[in-house]
PDB file of all heavy atoms in Angstrom:
ATOM      1  N   ASP O1397      19.999   0.249   2.827  1.00  0.00           N
ATOM      2  CA  ASP O1397      19.071   1.272   3.333  1.00  0.00           C
ATOM      3  C   ASP O1397      18.955   2.435   2.357  1.00  0.00           C
ATOM      4  O   ASP O1397      17.856   2.960   2.137  1.00  0.00           O
ATOM      5  CB  ASP O1397      19.508   1.792   4.707  1.00  0.00           C
ATOM      6  CG  ASP O1397      19.182   0.823   5.834  1.00  0.00           C
ATOM      7  OD1 ASP O1397      18.388  -0.122   5.610  1.00  0.00           O
ATOM      8  OD2 ASP O1397      19.717   1.010   6.943  1.00  0.00           O
ATOM      9  N   GLU O1398      20.084   2.846   1.771  1.00  0.00           N
ATOM     10  CA  GLU O1398      20.057   3.950   0.804  1.00  0.00           C
ATOM     11  C   GLU O1398      19.345   3.534  -0.483  1.00  0.00           C
ATOM     12  O   GLU O1398      18.618   4.330  -1.079  1.00  0.00           O
ATOM     13  CB  GLU O1398      21.484   4.430   0.514  1.00  0.00           C
ATOM     14  CG  GLU O1398      22.094   5.145   1.715  1.00  0.00           C
ATOM     15  CD  GLU O1398      23.583   5.400   1.563  1.00  0.00           C
ATOM     16  OE1 GLU O1398      24.318   4.480   1.155  1.00  0.00           O
ATOM     17  OE2 GLU O1398      23.996   6.530   1.870  1.00  0.00           O
ATOM     18  N   VAL O1399      19.518   2.287  -0.889  1.00  0.00           N
ATOM     19  CA  VAL O1399      18.811   1.775  -2.072  1.00  0.00           C
ATOM     20  C   VAL O1399      17.310   1.748  -1.798  1.00  0.00           C
ATOM     21  O   VAL O1399      16.500   2.108  -2.656  1.00  0.00           O
ATOM     22  CB  VAL O1399      19.351   0.385  -2.485  1.00  0.00           C
ATOM     23  CG1 VAL O1399      18.473  -0.241  -3.562  1.00  0.00           C
ATOM     24  CG2 VAL O1399      20.793   0.496  -2.970  1.00  0.00           C
ATOM     25  N   LYS O1400      16.915   1.399  -0.577  1.00  0.00           N
ATOM     26  CA  LYS O1400      15.493   1.404  -0.207  1.00  0.00           C
ATOM     27  C   LYS O1400      14.932   2.829  -0.210  1.00  0.00           C
ATOM     28  O   LYS O1400      13.784   3.045  -0.601  1.00  0.00           O
ATOM     29  CB  LYS O1400      15.285   0.744   1.157  1.00  0.00           C
ATOM     30  CG  LYS O1400      15.434  -0.755   1.109  1.00  0.00           C
ATOM     31  CD  LYS O1400      15.289  -1.391   2.472  1.00  0.00           C
ATOM     32  CE  LYS O1400      15.518  -2.889   2.363  1.00  0.00           C
ATOM     33  NZ  LYS O1400      15.482  -3.558   3.653  1.00  0.00           N
ATOM     34  N   LYS O1401      15.741   3.806   0.200  1.00  0.00           N
ATOM     35  CA  LYS O1401      15.308   5.212   0.137  1.00  0.00           C
ATOM     36  C   LYS O1401      15.079   5.617  -1.313  1.00  0.00           C
ATOM     37  O   LYS O1401      14.099   6.305  -1.631  1.00  0.00           O
ATOM     38  CB  LYS O1401      16.365   6.135   0.760  1.00  0.00           C
ATOM     39  CG  LYS O1401      16.395   6.111   2.266  1.00  0.00           C
ATOM     40  CD  LYS O1401      17.473   7.054   2.782  1.00  0.00           C
ATOM     41  CE  LYS O1401      17.723   6.850   4.252  1.00  0.00           C
ATOM     42  NZ  LYS O1401      18.850   7.641   4.750  1.00  0.00           N
ATOM     43  N   ALA O1402      15.984   5.196  -2.202  1.00  0.00           N
ATOM     44  CA  ALA O1402      15.836   5.500  -3.627  1.00  0.00           C
ATOM     45  C   ALA O1402      14.567   4.863  -4.171  1.00  0.00           C
ATOM     46  O   ALA O1402      13.810   5.491  -4.918  1.00  0.00           O
ATOM     47  CB  ALA O1402      17.058   5.012  -4.410  1.00  0.00           C
ATOM     48  N   PHE O1403      14.305   3.618  -3.772  1.00  0.00           N
ATOM     49  CA  PHE O1403      13.085   2.926  -4.198  1.00  0.00           C
ATOM     50  C   PHE O1403      11.853   3.733  -3.792  1.00  0.00           C
ATOM     51  O   PHE O1403      10.936   3.929  -4.588  1.00  0.00           O
ATOM     52  CB  PHE O1403      13.018   1.524  -3.590  1.00  0.00           C
ATOM     53  CG  PHE O1403      11.747   0.793  -3.910  1.00  0.00           C
ATOM     54  CD1 PHE O1403      11.644   0.031  -5.047  1.00  0.00           C
ATOM     55  CD2 PHE O1403      10.640   0.873  -3.065  1.00  0.00           C
ATOM     56  CE1 PHE O1403      10.459  -0.643  -5.357  1.00  0.00           C
ATOM     57  CE2 PHE O1403       9.461   0.215  -3.358  1.00  0.00           C
ATOM     58  CZ  PHE O1403       9.366  -0.549  -4.511  1.00  0.00           C
ATOM     59  N   ALA O1404      11.837   4.213  -2.557  1.00  0.00           N
ATOM     60  CA  ALA O1404      10.692   4.971  -2.048  1.00  0.00           C
ATOM     61  C   ALA O1404      10.466   6.251  -2.850  1.00  0.00           C
ATOM     62  O   ALA O1404       9.320   6.669  -3.057  1.00  0.00           O
ATOM     63  CB  ALA O1404      10.884   5.290  -0.571  1.00  0.00           C
ATOM     64  N   ILE O1405      11.539   6.876  -3.322  1.00  0.00           N
ATOM     65  CA  ILE O1405      11.415   8.085  -4.142  1.00  0.00           C
ATOM     66  C   ILE O1405      10.822   7.742  -5.505  1.00  0.00           C
ATOM     67  O   ILE O1405       9.941   8.436  -6.015  1.00  0.00           O
ATOM     68  CB  ILE O1405      12.790   8.766  -4.307  1.00  0.00           C
ATOM     69  CG1 ILE O1405      13.265   9.322  -2.952  1.00  0.00           C
ATOM     70  CG2 ILE O1405      12.739   9.868  -5.371  1.00  0.00           C
ATOM     71  CD1 ILE O1405      14.725   9.719  -2.917  1.00  0.00           C
ATOM     72  N   ILE O1406      11.279   6.646  -6.085  1.00  0.00           N
ATOM     73  CA  ILE O1406      10.843   6.245  -7.432  1.00  0.00           C
ATOM     74  C   ILE O1406       9.420   5.697  -7.418  1.00  0.00           C
ATOM     75  O   ILE O1406       8.671   5.855  -8.373  1.00  0.00           O
ATOM     76  CB  ILE O1406      11.847   5.228  -8.022  1.00  0.00           C
ATOM     77  CG1 ILE O1406      13.213   5.904  -8.166  1.00  0.00           C
ATOM     78  CG2 ILE O1406      11.373   4.681  -9.356  1.00  0.00           C
ATOM     79  CD1 ILE O1406      14.375   4.953  -8.308  1.00  0.00           C
ATOM     80  N   ASP O1407       9.017   5.080  -6.302  1.00  0.00           N
ATOM     81  CA  ASP O1407       7.655   4.565  -6.143  1.00  0.00           C
ATOM     82  C   ASP O1407       6.724   5.748  -5.863  1.00  0.00           C
ATOM     83  O   ASP O1407       6.301   5.984  -4.737  1.00  0.00           O
ATOM     84  CB  ASP O1407       7.636   3.544  -4.989  1.00  0.00           C
ATOM     85  CG  ASP O1407       6.243   3.021  -4.696  1.00  0.00           C
ATOM     86  OD1 ASP O1407       5.353   3.131  -5.567  1.00  0.00           O
ATOM     87  OD2 ASP O1407       6.040   2.510  -3.576  1.00  0.00           O
ATOM     88  N   GLN O1408       6.406   6.481  -6.904  1.00  0.00           N
ATOM     89  CA  GLN O1408       5.656   7.740  -6.800  1.00  0.00           C
ATOM     90  C   GLN O1408       4.296   7.601  -6.125  1.00  0.00           C
ATOM     91  O   GLN O1408       3.865   8.494  -5.417  1.00  0.00           O
ATOM     92  CB  GLN O1408       5.474   8.355  -8.194  1.00  0.00           C
ATOM     93  CG  GLN O1408       6.766   8.795  -8.845  1.00  0.00           C
ATOM     94  CD  GLN O1408       7.279  10.098  -8.278  1.00  0.00           C
ATOM     95  OE1 GLN O1408       6.546  11.065  -8.193  1.00  0.00           O
ATOM     96  NE2 GLN O1408       8.541  10.121  -7.888  1.00  0.00           N
ATOM     97  N   ASP O1409       3.609   6.485  -6.364  1.00  0.00           N
ATOM     98  CA  ASP O1409       2.271   6.337  -5.794  1.00  0.00           C
ATOM     99  C   ASP O1409       2.278   5.601  -4.445  1.00  0.00           C
ATOM    100  O   ASP O1409       1.222   5.297  -3.895  1.00  0.00           O
ATOM    101  CB  ASP O1409       1.325   5.641  -6.785  1.00  0.00           C
ATOM    102  CG  ASP O1409       1.736   4.211  -7.116  1.00  0.00           C
ATOM    103  OD1 ASP O1409       2.743   3.704  -6.555  1.00  0.00           O
ATOM    104  OD2 ASP O1409       1.055   3.587  -7.957  1.00  0.00           O
ATOM    105  N   ASN O1410       3.474   5.330  -3.924  1.00  0.00           N
ATOM    106  CA  ASN O1410       3.632   4.671  -2.624  1.00  0.00           C
ATOM    107  C   ASN O1410       2.882   3.337  -2.520  1.00  0.00           C
ATOM    108  O   ASN O1410       2.380   2.986  -1.465  1.00  0.00           O
ATOM    109  CB  ASN O1410       3.188   5.598  -1.483  1.00  0.00           C
ATOM    110  CG  ASN O1410       4.023   6.845  -1.427  1.00  0.00           C
ATOM    111  OD1 ASN O1410       5.251   6.784  -1.478  1.00  0.00           O
ATOM    112  ND2 ASN O1410       3.371   7.993  -1.358  1.00  0.00           N
ATOM    113  N   SER O1411       2.848   2.611  -3.628  1.00  0.00           N
ATOM    114  CA  SER O1411       2.150   1.325  -3.652  1.00  0.00           C
ATOM    115  C   SER O1411       3.026   0.187  -3.124  1.00  0.00           C
ATOM    116  O   SER O1411       2.530  -0.921  -2.902  1.00  0.00           O
ATOM    117  CB  SER O1411       1.721   0.993  -5.086  1.00  0.00           C
ATOM    118  OG  SER O1411       2.881   0.771  -5.889  1.00  0.00           O
ATOM    119  N   GLY O1412       4.317   0.456  -2.957  1.00  0.00           N
ATOM    120  CA  GLY O1412       5.242  -0.608  -2.566  1.00  0.00           C
ATOM    121  C   GLY O1412       5.842  -1.304  -3.768  1.00  0.00           C
ATOM    122  O   GLY O1412       6.613  -2.254  -3.627  1.00  0.00           O
ATOM    123  N   PHE O1413       5.500  -0.807  -4.950  1.00  0.00           N
ATOM    124  CA  PHE O1413       6.006  -1.367  -6.204  1.00  0.00           C
ATOM    125  C   PHE O1413       6.301  -0.237  -7.184  1.00  0.00           C
ATOM    126  O   PHE O1413       5.678   0.827  -7.126  1.00  0.00           O
ATOM    127  CB  PHE O1413       4.980  -2.308  -6.853  1.00  0.00           C
ATOM    128  CG  PHE O1413       4.680  -3.515  -6.024  1.00  0.00           C
ATOM    129  CD1 PHE O1413       3.595  -3.528  -5.167  1.00  0.00           C
ATOM    130  CD2 PHE O1413       5.494  -4.636  -6.080  1.00  0.00           C
ATOM    131  CE1 PHE O1413       3.312  -4.631  -4.378  1.00  0.00           C
ATOM    132  CE2 PHE O1413       5.230  -5.751  -5.295  1.00  0.00           C
ATOM    133  CZ  PHE O1413       4.131  -5.749  -4.445  1.00  0.00           C
ATOM    134  N   ILE O1414       7.227  -0.501  -8.097  1.00  0.00           N
ATOM    135  CA  ILE O1414       7.468   0.424  -9.205  1.00  0.00           C
ATOM    136  C   ILE O1414       6.802  -0.216 -10.415  1.00  0.00           C
ATOM    137  O   ILE O1414       7.208  -1.291 -10.871  1.00  0.00           O
ATOM    138  CB  ILE O1414       8.977   0.641  -9.451  1.00  0.00           C
ATOM    139  CG1 ILE O1414       9.650   1.202  -8.200  1.00  0.00           C
ATOM    140  CG2 ILE O1414       9.177   1.580 -10.648  1.00  0.00           C
ATOM    141  CD1 ILE O1414      11.174   1.262  -8.286  1.00  0.00           C
ATOM    142  N   GLU O1415       5.739   0.437 -10.890  1.00  0.00           N
ATOM    143  CA  GLU O1415       4.994  -0.068 -12.034  1.00  0.00           C
ATOM    144  C   GLU O1415       5.549   0.513 -13.333  1.00  0.00           C
ATOM    145  O   GLU O1415       6.362   1.429 -13.319  1.00  0.00           O
ATOM    146  CB  GLU O1415       3.502   0.273 -11.903  1.00  0.00           C
ATOM    147  CG  GLU O1415       2.799  -0.455 -10.778  1.00  0.00           C
ATOM    148  CD  GLU O1415       2.841   0.285  -9.441  1.00  0.00           C
ATOM    149  OE1 GLU O1415       3.271   1.439  -9.391  1.00  0.00           O
ATOM    150  OE2 GLU O1415       2.450  -0.328  -8.433  1.00  0.00           O
ATOM    151  N   GLU O1416       5.057  -0.008 -14.450  1.00  0.00           N
ATOM    152  CA  GLU O1416       5.561   0.380 -15.764  1.00  0.00           C
ATOM    153  C   GLU O1416       5.478   1.889 -16.000  1.00  0.00           C
ATOM    154  O   GLU O1416       6.407   2.490 -16.536  1.00  0.00           O
ATOM    155  CB  GLU O1416       4.807  -0.379 -16.862  1.00  0.00           C
ATOM    156  CG  GLU O1416       5.415  -0.199 -18.233  1.00  0.00           C
ATOM    157  CD  GLU O1416       4.840  -1.140 -19.281  1.00  0.00           C
ATOM    158  OE1 GLU O1416       4.176  -2.133 -18.927  1.00  0.00           O
ATOM    159  OE2 GLU O1416       5.068  -0.868 -20.469  1.00  0.00           O
ATOM    160  N   ASP O1417       4.373   2.527 -15.593  1.00  0.00           N
ATOM    161  CA  ASP O1417       4.239   3.968 -15.812  1.00  0.00           C
ATOM    162  C   ASP O1417       5.268   4.751 -14.998  1.00  0.00           C
ATOM    163  O   ASP O1417       5.760   5.791 -15.432  1.00  0.00           O
ATOM    164  CB  ASP O1417       2.816   4.456 -15.544  1.00  0.00           C
ATOM    165  CG  ASP O1417       2.337   4.188 -14.122  1.00  0.00           C
ATOM    166  OD1 ASP O1417       2.768   3.191 -13.514  1.00  0.00           O
ATOM    167  OD2 ASP O1417       1.509   4.969 -13.621  1.00  0.00           O
ATOM    168  N   GLU O1418       5.620   4.252 -13.818  1.00  0.00           N
ATOM    169  CA  GLU O1418       6.652   4.904 -13.005  1.00  0.00           C
ATOM    170  C   GLU O1418       8.042   4.671 -13.609  1.00  0.00           C
ATOM    171  O   GLU O1418       8.898   5.554 -13.551  1.00  0.00           O
ATOM    172  CB  GLU O1418       6.607   4.381 -11.563  1.00  0.00           C
ATOM    173  CG  GLU O1418       5.366   4.829 -10.823  1.00  0.00           C
ATOM    174  CD  GLU O1418       5.152   4.116  -9.504  1.00  0.00           C
ATOM    175  OE1 GLU O1418       5.378   2.890  -9.415  1.00  0.00           O
ATOM    176  OE2 GLU O1418       4.723   4.798  -8.553  1.00  0.00           O
ATOM    177  N   LEU O1419       8.253   3.503 -14.196  1.00  0.00           N
ATOM    178  CA  LEU O1419       9.536   3.230 -14.860  1.00  0.00           C
ATOM    179  C   LEU O1419       9.740   4.138 -16.059  1.00  0.00           C
ATOM    180  O   LEU O1419      10.848   4.594 -16.309  1.00  0.00           O
ATOM    181  CB  LEU O1419       9.618   1.773 -15.326  1.00  0.00           C
ATOM    182  CG  LEU O1419      10.038   0.736 -14.299  1.00  0.00           C
ATOM    183  CD1 LEU O1419      10.095  -0.640 -14.945  1.00  0.00           C
ATOM    184  CD2 LEU O1419      11.368   1.078 -13.677  1.00  0.00           C
ATOM    185  N   LYS O1420       8.678   4.384 -16.804  1.00  0.00           N
ATOM    186  CA  LYS O1420       8.775   5.246 -17.989  1.00  0.00           C
ATOM    187  C   LYS O1420       9.327   6.620 -17.602  1.00  0.00           C
ATOM    188  O   LYS O1420      10.115   7.212 -18.329  1.00  0.00           O
ATOM    189  CB  LYS O1420       7.417   5.377 -18.661  1.00  0.00           C
ATOM    190  CG  LYS O1420       7.476   6.157 -19.962  1.00  0.00           C
ATOM    191  CD  LYS O1420       6.270   5.859 -20.798  1.00  0.00           C
ATOM    192  CE  LYS O1420       6.419   6.326 -22.214  1.00  0.00           C
ATOM    193  NZ  LYS O1420       7.436   5.645 -22.991  1.00  0.00           N
ATOM    194  N   LEU O1421       8.955   7.112 -16.428  1.00  0.00           N
ATOM    195  CA  LEU O1421       9.386   8.425 -15.952  1.00  0.00           C
ATOM    196  C   LEU O1421      10.561   8.320 -14.970  1.00  0.00           C
ATOM    197  O   LEU O1421      10.859   9.268 -14.246  1.00  0.00           O
ATOM    198  CB  LEU O1421       8.206   9.147 -15.309  1.00  0.00           C
ATOM    199  CG  LEU O1421       6.980   9.295 -16.208  1.00  0.00           C
ATOM    200  CD1 LEU O1421       5.833   9.942 -15.459  1.00  0.00           C
ATOM    201  CD2 LEU O1421       7.312  10.077 -17.472  1.00  0.00           C
ATOM    202  N   PHE O1422      11.227   7.182 -14.961  1.00  0.00           N
ATOM    203  CA  PHE O1422      12.308   6.883 -14.026  1.00  0.00           C
ATOM    204  C   PHE O1422      13.360   7.984 -13.944  1.00  0.00           C
ATOM    205  O   PHE O1422      13.725   8.437 -12.860  1.00  0.00           O
ATOM    206  CB  PHE O1422      12.972   5.558 -14.442  1.00  0.00           C
ATOM    207  CG  PHE O1422      14.200   5.216 -13.665  1.00  0.00           C
ATOM    208  CD1 PHE O1422      14.100   4.685 -12.395  1.00  0.00           C
ATOM    209  CD2 PHE O1422      15.459   5.416 -14.208  1.00  0.00           C
ATOM    210  CE1 PHE O1422      15.240   4.366 -11.664  1.00  0.00           C
ATOM    211  CE2 PHE O1422      16.597   5.097 -13.487  1.00  0.00           C
ATOM    212  CZ  PHE O1422      16.488   4.572 -12.220  1.00  0.00           C
ATOM    213  N   LEU O1423      13.863   8.446 -15.090  1.00  0.00           N
ATOM    214  CA  LEU O1423      14.940   9.440 -15.103  1.00  0.00           C
ATOM    215  C   LEU O1423      14.495  10.766 -14.501  1.00  0.00           C
ATOM    216  O   LEU O1423      15.302  11.506 -13.938  1.00  0.00           O
ATOM    217  CB  LEU O1423      15.462   9.655 -16.529  1.00  0.00           C
ATOM    218  CG  LEU O1423      16.098   8.437 -17.192  1.00  0.00           C
ATOM    219  CD1 LEU O1423      16.490   8.758 -18.632  1.00  0.00           C
ATOM    220  CD2 LEU O1423      17.304   7.936 -16.406  1.00  0.00           C
ATOM    221  N   GLN O1424      13.202  11.075 -14.596  1.00  0.00           N
ATOM    222  CA  GLN O1424      12.685  12.336 -14.078  1.00  0.00           C
ATOM    223  C   GLN O1424      12.681  12.373 -12.553  1.00  0.00           C
ATOM    224  O   GLN O1424      12.524  13.437 -11.964  1.00  0.00           O
ATOM    225  CB  GLN O1424      11.302  12.611 -14.660  1.00  0.00           C
ATOM    226  CG  GLN O1424      11.382  12.841 -16.154  1.00  0.00           C
ATOM    227  CD  GLN O1424      10.029  12.902 -16.821  1.00  0.00           C
ATOM    228  OE1 GLN O1424       8.999  12.867 -16.173  1.00  0.00           O
ATOM    229  NE2 GLN O1424      10.049  12.980 -18.140  1.00  0.00           N
TER     230      GLN O1424
END
């Protein structure tokens, strides 16, 4: 559940996926 919360934070555009542009800014 906590990993899913982290995913939701990283999925900036709320598409249900982390795309390459979101990965590039992952650390931010």
